[in-house]
Amino acid sequence: MLNRRLLLGASAALPFLPPGVAEARAPFRNTTPAAWYRFKVGDFEATVVSDGRLPLGAIQPAFPTSSPDEVSALMRDHFLPPDSATLEQNALVVNTGRHLVLFDTGMGESMGEQSKMFGPTTGKLLQNLRAAGIEPGQIDVVCATHAHCDHVWALVNRRGQRVFPNARVAISEADLRFWTDDGNKRGPEFMKVFIDGAKKNLSAYRDRMIMVRDGQEVVPGVTAFAAPGHTVGHHVYAVRSGNETLVNTGDLAHHQVLLLRKPAWEFAFDTDPKQSAQTRSRMLDRFATDRERILSYHFPWPGIGHVSREGDGYEWMPSPMNLTSVS
Ligand SMILES: [Zn+2]
């Protein structure tokens, strides 16, 4: 039996481990595990696949019309650093039994250095997709919520070849037109590269497009709904099987605290920030009322949960990563 006084005395006099033995035998790994998460929506098999983290840096510039003090206070109150905000990129894959559908593609590498504008942590979709046992050639449809870099730039590789050779691409005609029109290269600095990237990625699928409209079923069990504002043709997608629903909300809200607590705040990357705020408020109200399960592209991994009413806004209620839901 250990004598506590002896032990304390010994540890004061001697190093805990003798010299020469104290070095760690295992090196630091500096790697992250494959990021995919599998669950069911009714009879459908769903897999969230990460494209990696998207660091934004200081969060305040993303909310140019909001009080900097209020932004910082909300972040700190939720134990988040205001000077280094990070968004996730949660791409959903749904196997309906008849179709394999990918929702958004992440940043990819099609635009070379510009594909790394948010640093080296993005562009991980393909490796995580393969780690989840899914090959790009198996994807039947890519449903794009909108044509921004972090959602469609992995449709082609650097040489402009289709990454998903057998897929059709579902996107709204409004977004297709807007983001492939050189006439819209005005305003914020990012517009030029966003349009160049959308043109390169979408043109490779020109003869295999599905133009989605509000309320349209893309494949059986997947329905598009117009949610304009973030972009002119931003759409969300409801996945339904049996009596279960999951709504893939794309970029309806980018931050689980700031834009749920303050749905009316204007976000710098919105094409029409006021319309975006109206759409966000209307849809969040419906999701809270209907107790709808949602998947949010940029919320903390894996982005699945519910919104509940809290004051004038909402609170994010992440779903537990429940092993019993894994098939
Ligand atoms: Zn986005």
Side-chain angles (χ1 to χ4, degrees):
M1 196 172 150
L2 283 172
N3 180 307
R4 184 166 177 273
R5 199 152 33 134
L6 182 67
L7 193 65
L8 287 173
S11 68
L14 293 169
F16 189 66
L17 288 173
V21 183
E23 290 86 5
R25 287 162 194 263
F28 291 168
R29 290 295 170 196
N30 294 318
T31 55
T32 48
W36 57 273
Y37 171 64
R38 185 155 285 150
F39 63 108
K40 299 283 279 192
V41 181
D43 293 332
F44 295 171
E45 183 181 77
T47 310
V48 190
V49 178
S50 176
D51 189 52
R53 297 201 171 114
L54 194 154
L56 280 188
I59 191 73
Q60 209 284 320
F63 298 92
T65 61
S66 303
S67 145
D69 290 345
E70 212 175 345
V71 172
S72 294
L74 264 177
M75 291 289 280
R76 286 211 184 83
D77 286 351
H78 292 82
F79 304 93
L80 296 168
D83 56 348
S84 65
T86 299
L87 305 182
E88 292 287 343
Q89 299 181 97
N90 309 312
L92 175 68
V93 184
V94 172
N95 189 340
T96 70
R98 288 172 63 187
H99 299 96
L100 190 63
V101 184
L102 167 67
F103 298 82
D104 294 332
T105 71
M107 289 287 290
E109 54 172 32
S110 61
M111 296 298 284
E113 282 306 300
Q114 286 162 330
S115 293
K116 295 292 174 199
M117 71 173 91
F118 293 103
T121 55
T122 65
K124 309 296 183 197
L125 178 104
L126 284 186
Q127 71 188 57
N128 284 323
L129 198 65
R130 289 197 167 102
I134 301 166
E135 286 298 317
Q138 295 177 296
I139 302 289
D140 297 304
V141 183
V142 178
C143 287
T145 56
H146 62 297
H148 276 175
C149 56
D150 49 326
H151 297 261
V152 300
W153 277 19
L155 281 172
V156 301
N157 63 21
R158 212 167 164 157
R159 293 188 298 280
Q161 298 160 325
R162 291 195 300 265
V163 167
F164 307 99
N166 302 309
R168 291 177 295 157
V169 171
I171 192 167
S172 69
E173 190 170 358
D175 248 42
L176 177 66
R177 281 178 186 271
F178 185 93
W179 293 104
T180 58
D181 182 353
D182 285 332
N184 290 322
K185 286 180 177 174
R186 54 177 187 259
E189 186 73 19
F190 63 80
M191 289 300 287
K192 181 182 178 303
V193 64
F194 274 29
I195 287 171
D196 287 342
K199 281 168 67 177
K200 180 172 185 177
N201 278 275
L202 292 168
S203 65
Y205 294 81
R206 190 139 297 220
D207 59 346
R208 44 179 71 215
M209 289 273 178
I210 302 169
M211 296 288 89
V212 297
R213 297 181 307 276
D214 187 33
Q216 181 188 345
E217 192 171 64
V218 182
V219 299
V222 177
T223 307
F225 291 98
H230 178 55
T231 62
V232 289
H234 182 264
H235 275 63
V236 304
Y237 293 89
V239 177
R240 285 199 190 99
S241 172
N243 56 10
E244 286 190 25
T245 302
L246 176 74
V247 184
N248 184 341
T249 60
D251 282 10
L252 184 71
H254 287 76
H255 199 274
Q256 76 279 9
V257 173
L258 301 181
L259 284 173
L260 289 200
R261 288 303 173 106
K262 305 288 181 184
W265 275 7
E266 297 182 14
F267 184 64
F269 287 95
D270 289 343
T271 305
D272 185 337
K274 289 187 167 49
Q275 184 187 38
S276 180
Q278 286 169 7
T279 298
R280 183 163 48 245
S281 300
R282 172 172 58 82
M283 287 199 156
L284 289 175
D285 179 64
R286 206 183 90 193
F287 296 150
T289 301
D290 295 349
R291 302 175 65 83
E292 207 81 272
R293 183 166 51 152
I294 71 174
L295 182 145
S296 184
Y297 191 75
H298 288 301
F299 283 11
W301 170 260
I304 307 164
H306 294 80
V307 292
S308 66
R309 287 198 174 75
E310 175 66 41
D312 296 335
Y314 302 88
E315 185 167 6
W316 177 238
M317 300 294 202
S319 294
M321 289 174 71
N322 185 346
L323 286 176
T324 59
S325 70
V326 177
S327 58

